[in-house]
Amino acid sequence: MSNIWFTSDWHLGHKRVITFEDNIRARVMGVSTIEEHDEMIKAAVLSTIGKRDILYVMGDNGNEQATFDILQECLAMQIRFLPGNHDRDTGIALLATLPKLKVWPPATYKQHWLTHHPIHPCELWGRKNIHGHVHSKSVKDENYINVSVEAAGPKILVNFNDIKSGE
């Protein structure tokens, strides 16, 4: 049986990301350099996602080449990539060259909106919103599920079964 996984806001190669938000990435992930940070994210993806699983990478992934390199090692997996506000057209074009990678616009999965930014409450239309972008500043509303690295904690990835069980 396959699993559905979500992640957002890797910010690979962004040297200051481990010091943002009261050093939450350094404290939770136990890293002290950006190289350790990037390797920790790569290890989490490669050790968690199976061949039959689907991984939704929901934007702000940072260094285009580093993101490409990690996802290139994941070609046995099914990956859906949603660009974020820090993802540039050149990086999106580079990622689009990977076989099996789907670059997609906002979509739904089992009655959940999938977006990078949280959407406005008036746009929910009875659905919940799985999103990133806000890092540890989660929207205090049960209709919003934040899958940013800071919100996911040390596991970095969020399983849809955990989202369902929390509803």
Side-chain angles (χ1 to χ4, degrees), residues 81-148:
F81 176 78
L82 172 67
N85 57 302
H86 289 287
D87 296 312
R88 299 184 306 196
D89 289 343
T90 54
I92 295 165
L94 177 64
L95 293 175
T97 66
L98 290 168
K100 290 178 62 175
L101 179 78
K102 290 186 171 62
V103 178
W104 47 277
T108 60
Y109 179 77
K110 298 212 181 218
Q111 300 300 309
H112 291 74
W113 293 111
L114 307 179
T115 61
H116 175 64
H117 299 82
I119 62 175
H120 192 277
C122 293
E123 297 173 323
L124 289 173
W125 299 335
R127 296 180 180 193
K128 296 191 179 205
N129 180 205
I130 300 173
H131 65 86
H133 182 67
V134 294
H135 296 268
S136 66
K137 312 282 191 285
S138 297
V139 178
K140 304 289 188 235
D141 182 320
E142 66 183 16
N143 292 310
Y144 294 89
I145 299 106
N146 180 3
V147 297
S148 297

Side-chain angles (χ1 to χ4, degrees), residues 24-122:
I24 195 168
R25 289 191 192 213
R27 287 185 292 108
V28 172
M29 296 169 71
V31 297
S32 58
T33 67
I34 193 60
E35 292 79 17
E36 289 175 354
H37 168 270
D38 292 1
E39 197 56 41
M40 177 88 56
I41 289 174
K42 177 181 172 180
V45 171
L46 293 174
S47 67
T48 305
I49 310 299
K51 285 195 271 187
R52 294 187 181 139
D53 295 349
I54 297 175
L55 173 63
Y56 287 90
V57 181
M58 299 177 60
D60 284 4
N61 299 294
N63 179 283
E64 291 122 355
Q65 189 62 50
T67 303
F68 179 85
D69 292 344
I70 287 176
L71 296 181
Q72 190 171 35
E73 290 189 47
C74 303
L75 290 181
M77 305 167 196
Q78 297 181 59
I79 301 168
R80 309 293 185 263
F81 176 78
L82 172 67
N85 57 302
H86 289 287
D87 296 312
R88 299 184 306 196
D89 289 343
T90 54
I92 295 165
L94 177 64
L95 293 175
T97 66
L98 290 168
K100 290 178 62 175
L101 179 78
K102 290 186 171 62
V103 178
W104 47 277
T108 60
Y109 179 77
K110 298 212 181 218
Q111 300 300 309
H112 291 74
W113 293 111
L114 307 179
T115 61
H116 175 64
H117 299 82
I119 62 175
H120 192 277
C122 293

